[in-house]
Amino acid sequence: MLTDFAGNLAHPLEFGHALEIVGKTIDGASKFNLSLMTCKSIINPKADIGFRMSVYFRENIIIRNARINGQWGEEEAEGISRYSQPNPIPSGDFFMIYILACEDKFHISINSIPYCTFKYRLPLESLRAIELKDQIQAIKQIDHRSVFPNPWPPIHASDYFKAFSNDAPILFSPGHVIVITARCFNNKKGQFIIKFMDTDTKREELHFSVRFDEKVVVRNSHNSKFEFGQEERHGHFPFVFNQQFKLAIAFTESEFLTAVDGYNFCSYAYRTPNILQKLVGFKIACTKGLHMHVTGVDHVQTGNSLCRGFEELTRFDKECT
C-alpha cells in the first residue's frame, strides 16, 4: 500500500535546526523523493525546492538537487567521502534520514552514518514545507527540532512500533493549530491515541484516545503521580474506519479545541498550569491491531488566540497554507 506525506513545518528552518525522518519503502521500490520546499506542491506545483533528495534503488544512487524559478540546478551524487555507499538505503526496509541545518549547508546522515552535505541554494528561512513521495509504504517520524549545539554526527533512536511522531522546534502558543490528515485500517475494532507530553517528565498532558471498538473518543491527562484523572467522553464519534480524516487540534490560552472534517468536535481544558511551556510535539500510538497512515501534518499560526474558525482548516476542499 502506497502513501505520501506533505506538511507545513511548525517554524521555518533555521541554523541549528534538524529534521529526523523515518519511513519505509514498499518491497521492490524503484525510487522515492524527499523535498524541502517554500510551500506544498498542492498549493503551488511550481514552488521552489531548496533541497530534493531522490533515492533511486535500481541505479543504486541518491541524487541531490534544487529547483529555483522552475529550473533544476546541477545534480550532486557524491558521498561525504570516497568510502560512502552510493545508496545506503535498502529497498523495502526502514530508513532514517537526519538533516542538520548548519551555517551554509545541510549535513545529511542516513541510518546514523554521515552521508553527504548540500550547500544552500535558497535562503534557509524560505523553506517551510516537507514532502515525501513515490513508493513509500509507511512514514513513522517527521520530527523537527532545535539541536544546536549538539555534536555531529547524531545518534538516531527510533521506535518503529509507534504509529507516528511529530516534534516541533518551538513552544506552542495560543493561536497555533495542528492539522493531522490520516487514515486508519487493518482492524476496525482497534484504537489510536494521540499524546501530547511534558517534554521533561513525559507525563501525558493530553491523551486523546479514539476507540473504534467502543465508538467513543476519550480525553484524559496524567496528574503529578502519572495517574489518569477523570475521563471525558461526551460527544459523537466523528471518525469512519478506513476513510481519510482531517483532525485539527488548536491551542488557546485555557484549553485544547478539536475539529474533524470541517466540524467542531470537543474542547478539553488544560489540567496543568502553563501547559504550553511544556509541550514540543505529539506522538501517535495504535493498539488492538489498528494501523494508521499519516499523510500530512500542517502547523498553522492563526494569529487569533481564540482560534476562531479553525474548524475550516479540516475541510477537504481547503488546503492549509
Side-chain angles (χ1 to χ4, degrees), residues 41-204:
S41 58
I42 194 170
I43 301 295
N44 179 7
K46 298 181 180 180
D48 286 346
I49 300 173
F51 173 66
R52 170 167 287 181
M53 182 173 172
S54 298
V55 180
Y56 295 100
F57 293 103
R58 292 172 185 168
E59 293 81 1
N60 192 33
I61 196 170
I62 297 178
I63 302 293
R64 288 88 64 191
N65 208 339
R67 187 182 69 191
I68 303 171
N69 296 325
Q71 299 295 317
W72 288 101
E74 183 178 354
E75 293 183 345
E76 299 180 16
E78 298 299 321
I80 209 164
S81 77
R82 62 190 180 94
Y83 300 106
S84 298
Q85 297 181 54
N87 176 16
I89 302 176
S91 176
D93 282 0
F94 278 100
F95 58 83
M96 294 186 290
I97 299 172
Y98 188 95
I99 303 172
L100 175 65
C102 293
E103 291 182 347
D104 63 347
K105 67 185 71 172
F106 290 118
H107 288 251
I108 298 103
S109 74
I110 297 175
N111 298 337
S112 298
I113 298 173
Y115 179 71
C116 69
T117 62
F118 187 83
K119 193 166 183 177
Y120 302 143
R121 302 186 191 177
L122 284 173
L124 189 59
E125 64 273 11
S126 70
L127 303 181
R128 308 181 64 92
I130 181 171
E131 293 189 353
L132 283 93
K133 293 184 178 293
D134 297 324
Q135 300 182 342
I136 299 286
Q137 178 176 310
I139 298 162
K140 296 285 191 177
Q141 187 172 332
I142 305 286
D143 284 335
H144 179 191
R145 305 185 182 111
S146 180
V147 299
F148 180 81
N150 286 6
W152 172 266
I155 300 298
H156 300 285
S158 183
D159 177 7
Y160 296 132
F161 295 100
K162 67 172 175 290
F164 190 75
S165 171
N166 186 251
D167 286 348
I170 59 171
L171 297 174
F172 298 127
S173 58
H176 191 124
V177 179
I178 300 174
V179 181
I180 303 167
T181 304
R183 182 174 64 85
C184 298
F185 59 99
N186 203 56
N187 181 12
K188 62 182 179 181
K189 297 296 184 180
Q191 306 176 5
F192 73 87
I193 306 161
I194 301 175
K195 305 176 183 181
F196 285 84
M197 295 181 287
D198 184 309
T199 185
D200 294 322
T201 66
K202 307 306 178 187
R203 185 175 62 240
E204 292 185 39

Side-chain angles (χ1 to χ4, degrees), residues 207 218-223 227-233 268 271:
H207 180 95
V218 175
R219 290 84 71 189
N220 212 331
S221 301
H222 280 149
N223 61 24
E227 299 168 336
F228 280 113
Q230 181 68 38
E231 290 184 347
E232 297 185 15
R233 289 173 165 251
Y268 182 80
R271 296 186 183 179

Side-chain angles (χ1 to χ4, degrees), residues 2-8 40 130-133 136-137 139 142 164 179-183 185 244-246 284 292-298 316 319:
L2 294 172
T3 189
D4 290 335
F5 181 92
N8 293 317
K40 295 185 295 184
I130 181 171
E131 293 189 353
L132 283 93
K133 293 184 178 293
I136 299 286
Q137 178 176 310
I139 298 162
I142 305 286
F164 190 75
V179 181
I180 303 167
T181 304
R183 182 174 64 85
F185 59 99
Q244 189 177 58
F245 64 85
K246 293 179 76 171
I284 301 178
M292 174 186 281
H293 278 170
V294 177
T295 57
V297 176
D298 289 302
F316 279 97
E319 191 63 39

Side-chain angles (χ1 to χ4, degrees), residues 177-281:
V177 179
I178 300 174
V179 181
I180 303 167
T181 304
R183 182 174 64 85
C184 298
F185 59 99
N186 203 56
N187 181 12
K188 62 182 179 181
K189 297 296 184 180
Q191 306 176 5
F192 73 87
I193 306 161
I194 301 175
K195 305 176 183 181
F196 285 84
M197 295 181 287
D198 184 309
T199 185
D200 294 322
T201 66
K202 307 306 178 187
R203 185 175 62 240
E204 292 185 39
E205 299 291 356
L206 172 61
H207 180 95
F208 188 89
S209 178
V210 177
R211 305 179 181 182
F212 287 94
D213 51 346
E214 301 178 49
K215 294 293 187 291
V216 68
V217 179
V218 175
R219 290 84 71 189
N220 212 331
S221 301
H222 280 149
N223 61 24
S224 60
K225 297 180 181 179
F226 289 83
E227 299 168 336
F228 280 113
Q230 181 68 38
E231 290 184 347
E232 297 185 15
R233 289 173 165 251
H234 58 273
H236 66 292
F237 188 75
F239 299 94
V240 177
F241 185 77
N242 206 24
Q243 180 174 303
Q244 189 177 58
F245 64 85
K246 293 179 76 171
L247 164 68
I249 300 174
F251 303 88
T252 72
E253 293 181 351
S254 61
E255 61 188 350
F256 296 100
L257 303 177
T258 64
V260 180
D261 296 345
Y263 296 95
N264 281 300
F265 173 56
C266 72
S267 62
Y268 182 80
Y270 304 147
R271 296 186 183 179
T272 300
N274 302 315
I275 185 177
L276 296 187
Q277 301 300 308
K278 305 174 187 294
L279 308 179
V280 294

